[in-house]
Amino acid sequence: MPDVYRKSSEHAYPTEGSLVDSFGRKAAKLRISVTDRCNFRCDFCMPTHPIWLDHKEVLTFEEITRVASILASMGINTIRLSGGEPLVRKDIEKLVIMLTKVKGIESVSMTSNGALLKEKAAILKENGLKGVTVSLHSLKPELYHTITGTKNMFERVLAGIEESKKAGLKLKINCVVTRGCNDNEILDFAKLAHDSNAIVRFIEYMPFDGTKIWDVERVVSGREIIQKIQTAYDLLELPKEYGSTSKVYKFKDSSKGEIGTITSMTEPFCGDCDRIRLKADGKIVPCMFSLDEYDVKSLLREGASDSEIARSIRKNFWSKSPGVETMMKTNVQMIHIRPMHTIGG
Ligand code: SAM
Ligand code: SF4
């Protein structure tokens, strides 16, 4: 978004009401990275030799819940837990209860690699989790293990998906598409959505890989994905929901399945972005495509009041970057912003 759309001065942030940036975009959704750690090593996300945060640097459940309730008082109503892998954080189901009790929070969901879902799905549902998005980047076990840097996980993840359905969690499948790797499985994933009434979201490969192997040539655009699916299925594009990061398509026949594309790279959706992110290290990130991040952990640990913390968040959120297109024009190479496992997608 060019600067000309800026609603008012960079310094005139509001001290009450909704959490809003200087382009008039209101925050409604909070993504919390509860840990930078993970039991997988997906090549598009994790560095080869990750250096984990020290445990004392990571926000406690109480600190996370306090930030969430301060944000809820400014209009945030939806939370997604991510990571790293949220299920490797000990007792994560307890955080789910704590967050669902925050006044104003209507939905808590999670994005997970699914490896520990078989054990955790039922308790997560019982504790108030609405839904889980499971990342599944290939339907071929061997390729799945190559992409995720794991062994023997494929069947486990499928079992986790089944357990989540059984528990009554709303389920979505996320697939990051990379050219020359899994792009020949697009139709297989579409068939999965069609035949089993699943919700499958194809994500464009973003330059936040820990190993810095990202290359524009490896990005498969949402448009190309949909064109490929339309060679086999008739699709109907649904109107885009405000703030949604995906374009959603239904099948024109009687299937209840759904296809989505998250076109962050080729058709970014920054104009109605309603997200704010909280990293495990206690930094607030208004825009994942910007280097800007702001520390709330020090405020929490130095005894700041809720209103002092709220004021600091408001001030920093006000200067949220316009988004992807602007970043593409800067000298900052997006590949160097931060690896995805630290921000949670
Ligand atoms: N560990 C969990 C998982 O894999 O679902 C949650 C954290 S992961 C960082 C969140 C989402 O980001 C996942 O769907 C993952 O596939 C996606 N992701 C990771 N690296 C990506 C990249 N470079 N480009 C696009 N999506 C990416
Ligand atoms: Fe772990 Fe998720 Fe990153 Fe894969 S995408 S390495 S599962 S955090």
Side-chain angles (χ1 to χ4, degrees):
M1 245 186 329
D3 241 34
V4 61
Y5 291 125
R6 203 183 280 281
K7 287 269 194 270
S8 57
S9 141
E10 224 172 315
H11 306 291
Y13 66 93
T15 52
E16 57 186 32
S18 305
L19 181 60
V20 66
D21 68 29
S22 62
F23 295 95
R25 294 171 297 181
K26 282 185 193 162
K29 302 190 185 100
L30 167 64
R31 185 173 286 240
I32 306 173
S33 172
V34 295
T35 177
D36 60 331
R37 295 177 190 233
C38 188
N39 44 357
F40 281 25
R41 294 289 180 274
C42 303
D43 59 4
F44 43 66
C45 172
M46 198 54 87
T48 321
H49 303 290
I51 300 167
W52 308 127
L53 287 169
D54 195 274
H55 284 296
K56 61 178 186 302
E57 296 306 326
V58 174
L59 292 186
T60 64
F61 287 173
E62 287 71 23
E63 288 169 334
I64 291 173
T65 307
R66 182 158 172 226
V67 177
S69 63
I70 293 168
L71 288 169
S73 73
M74 298 189 264
I76 270 66
N77 53 29
T78 306
I79 293 178
R80 177 167 291 275
L81 301 176
S82 187
E85 172 50 38
L87 293 179
V88 302
R89 177 96 191 239
K90 190 165 173 281
D91 296 331
I92 186 70
E93 61 277 13
K94 294 189 180 150
L95 179 64
V96 172
I97 301 194
M98 291 163 80
L99 293 174
T100 53
K101 286 189 181 150
V102 170
K103 190 165 163 244
I105 297 302
E106 294 161 12
S107 156
V108 180
S109 57
M110 180 181 282
T111 301
S112 166
N113 62 31
L116 297 171
L117 263 179
K118 186 166 163 27
E119 295 80 359
K120 293 277 187 174
I123 184 76
L124 288 168
K125 171 69 182 168
E126 203 179 305
N127 288 4
L129 195 79
K130 269 250 170 73
V132 65
T133 300
V134 180
S135 302
L136 187 69
H137 310 295
S138 174
L139 299 171
K140 299 175 188 158
E142 204 174 314
L143 182 59
Y144 177 85
H145 291 127
T146 305
I147 294 171
T148 57
T150 60
K151 289 183 185 135
N152 309 322
M153 282 293 171
F154 184 71
E155 293 299 330
R156 233 181 123 79
V157 171
L158 294 190
I161 289 175
E162 282 314 306
E163 203 59 34
S164 305
K165 284 193 216 160
K166 220 162 86 189
L169 288 165
K170 184 167 186 222
L171 182 83
K172 288 184 203 163
I173 305 286
N174 266 1
C175 172
V176 177
V177 185
T178 49
R179 196 176 303 284
C181 174
N182 59 354
D183 54 332
N184 58 3
E185 288 191 67
I186 291 168
L187 280 179
D188 298 337
F189 275 101
K191 182 169 167 33
L192 173 81
H194 180 269
D195 295 357
S196 63
N197 299 327
I199 303 177
V200 174
R201 298 267 185 271
F202 295 98
I203 309 179
E204 289 180 354
Y205 182 23
M206 293 182 240
F208 303 138
D209 49 332
T211 41
K212 300 190 169 55
I213 53 169
W214 183 87
D215 186 325
V216 72
E217 299 297 325
R218 294 190 67 202
V219 176
V220 181
S221 71
R223 187 181 297 243
E224 185 178 333
I225 291 167
I226 293 302
Q227 276 170 357
K228 188 162 248 176
I229 296 174
Q230 280 176 325
T231 61
Y233 299 98
D234 281 335
L235 296 178
L236 176 71
E237 184 174 351
L238 303 184
K240 185 182 171 301
E241 263 178 46
Y242 188 86
S244 167
T245 54
S246 50
K247 294 182 179 209
V248 179
Y249 303 79
K250 289 275 188 199
F251 294 95
K252 280 194 181 158
D253 63 15
S254 59
S255 165
K256 299 251 179 321
E258 207 179 276
I259 298 287
T261 54
I262 301 186
T263 56
S264 323
M265 301 308 301
T266 63
E267 293 172 76
F269 26 69
C270 305
D272 62 353
C273 175
D274 60 358
R275 259 142 240 260
I276 181 166
R277 292 175 162 82
L278 176 64
K279 287 167 62 205
D281 63 1
K283 304 268 170 52
I284 293 265
V285 181
C287 168
M288 74 188 291
F289 280 86
S290 159
L291 284 166
D292 297 340
E293 42 184 59
Y294 305 97
D295 187 26
V296 280
K297 186 174 66 194
S298 314
L299 293 173
L300 291 163
R301 296 188 180 176
E302 285 162 9
S305 66
D306 283 5
S307 57
E308 283 166 336
I309 295 173
R311 198 177 174 88
S312 158
I313 294 174
R314 282 183 186 285
K315 179 168 182 269
N316 295 325
F317 191 76
W318 183 249
S319 58
K320 174 168 171 161
S321 155
V324 182
E325 284 172 19
T326 307
M327 281 309 290
M328 282 179 176
K329 289 181 201 138
T330 69
N331 291 329
V332 178
Q333 280 195 10
M334 287 197 284
I335 208 158
H336 294 301
I337 293 182
R338 58 181 80 72
M340 200 64 113
H341 76 105
T342 64
I343 180 94

